[in-house]
Amino acid sequence: MNDNQHRKLKGQTAIVTGASSGIGQAIAVALAESGANVTVNYHSDEAGAKETEARIEAVSGNCILVKGDIGKEHDVNRLFFQTREAFGDLHILISNAGIQKDSPFLEMSYADWDAVIKTNLYGAFMAANAAAKAFVGQELDEEVSKAAGKIVFISSVHDKIPWSGRVNYATSKGGTKMMMQSIAQELAPYKIRVNSISPGAIETPINEDQRDDEEEVRQMLAKIPYGRIGQPEEIGKAVCWLVSDEADYVTGATLYIDGGMTLYPSFGEG
Ligand code: NAD
């Protein structure tokens, strides 16, 4: 990789929500490696956020850490304020923070429904709304980025695959898909690009319990034609491309990174 490609996000600033572990951590490191200044948002896992910071420093990147609950408007406003105070103009939002609270529908509490929707959908809305307001208030510098701003939602294959026992989660991701497309349609005239990356099974703390159980792993692999679980770094690399000028004509799109999980694998046998 030449230095130009290596630093293709030089001069840009990115916020990554929920960047203290898993996919968010890998995205924050990849963006920093591509030359972006990164705000590492974390909810409560300060040790995880410090680990992200250390990994960013190891690739000679720049970052700040900002604690905050993405489901609370005041915290979201503070996240954007502190980012602009530290780095100036904002170019990229990666809305990644997400949780699961699984239970059969007949037993699902309102509290578990509310918590998942609040973080995964309301949180994504508030962050995207704050990012869009920042983008339209800035002057476009095409030397830095052809687009006035880029938003990427980390959605899930469950924005199109129904998921029994996780109606709260699947609803939050299905909602994210329509939110992404509607925002993309509305903001394209402002030269703001809005897209989703929808991962399949990626090895992170969110599915640690499932991966500890041999039978659950067998069942998981049976749903993945490519025959393996994905790594967070594979999402990080795709994000870097999607927010770069190489993808300047891409808006309103969902990139499924899932080893073929959304290809109806059971039909593979005819
Ligand atoms: P993870 O649990 O490692 O990461 C989730 C992150 O979100 C954590 O850092 C957590 O602290 C943060 N977070 C949770 N609530 C928050 C809040 N209120 N405010 C701010 N941050 C908060 O799991 P992950 O797999 O890395 O998940 C990241 C995203 O990827 C999620 O949106 C998840 O739905 C999505 N996803 C993951 C997979 C997978 O297989 N791992 C598949 C599809 C989609």
Side-chain angles (χ1 to χ4, degrees):
M1 200 186 267
N2 67 36
D3 198 51
N4 228 2
Q5 282 171 308
H6 203 69
R7 297 279 169 189
K8 63 186 170 199
L9 302 177
K10 196 166 177 288
Q12 301 196 37
T13 293
I15 292 176
V16 184
T17 68
S20 55
S21 64
I23 293 171
Q25 182 176 74
I27 293 171
V29 175
L31 289 170
E33 199 170 13
S34 293
N37 301 313
V38 178
T39 295
V40 173
N41 159 249
Y42 67 101
H43 183 224
S44 49
D45 179 8
E46 195 179 345
K50 291 227 160 99
E51 187 185 301
T52 309
E53 181 179 42
R55 286 185 57 191
I56 287 176
E57 282 169 0
V59 296
S60 310
N62 258 344
C63 71
I64 59 165
L65 311 186
V66 180
K67 184 177 161 73
D69 181 341
I70 207 65
K72 295 195 172 136
E73 196 175 11
H74 176 264
D75 287 16
V76 174
N77 289 339
R78 197 163 40 79
L79 172 64
F80 281 75
F81 179 77
Q82 285 184 226
T83 300
R84 298 183 80 191
E85 215 176 35
F87 299 125
D89 282 357
L90 178 73
H91 305 85
I92 300 162
L93 166 70
I94 313 298
S95 172
N96 164 79
I99 55 170
Q100 270 183 246
K101 285 185 181 289
D102 306 345
S103 68
F105 181 62
L106 293 174
E107 290 156 31
M108 186 168 284
S109 66
Y110 176 75
D112 282 356
W113 165 267
D114 188 52
V116 171
I117 300 293
K118 195 157 269 166
T119 300
N120 298 12
L121 191 55
Y122 285 29
F125 163 78
M126 286 190 281
N129 192 252
K133 284 177 179 155
F135 298 152
V136 297
Q138 298 168 178
E139 207 139 298
L140 175 62
D141 179 355
E142 288 202 34
E143 291 290 306
V144 175
S145 167
K146 284 187 185 162
K150 285 92 54 156
I151 296 172
V152 177
F153 294 104
I154 303 303
S155 182
S156 162
V157 291
H158 297 292
D159 62 16
K160 73 169 173 186
I161 304 177
W163 208 11
S164 103
R166 284 105 175 159
V167 63
N168 46 2
Y169 185 79
T171 302
S172 74
K173 297 301 187 178
T176 299
K177 185 178 171 69
M178 196 45 80
M179 179 168 70
M180 179 278 288
Q181 291 177 319
S182 301
I183 299 172
Q185 190 189 61
E186 191 168 332
L187 298 188
Y190 295 91
K191 296 208 75 178
I192 294 170
R193 299 195 293 109
V194 188
N195 294 287
S196 287
I197 286 184
S198 290
I202 308 293
E203 195 175 323
T204 73
I206 214 170
N207 50 30
E208 213 160 29
D209 293 350
Q210 270 173 291
R211 284 183 290 104
D212 280 348
D213 183 319
E214 247 177 62
E215 179 51 25
E216 289 218 36
V217 171
R218 197 194 58 72
Q219 284 179 18
M220 198 188 287
L221 289 175
K223 297 183 179 106
I224 309 171
Y226 206 60
R228 68 170 175 85
I229 292 170
Q231 294 303 313
E233 289 68 29
E234 298 182 290
I235 307 298
K237 289 196 178 98
V239 164
C240 287
W241 170 76
L242 193 51
V243 300
S244 77
D245 281 352
E246 289 167 12
D248 189 55
Y249 206 45
V250 183
T251 194
T254 299
L255 178 56
Y256 289 92
I257 303 183
D258 64 352
M261 192 183 257
T262 44
L263 298 175
Y264 300 94
S266 59
F267 280 80
E269 284 142 34

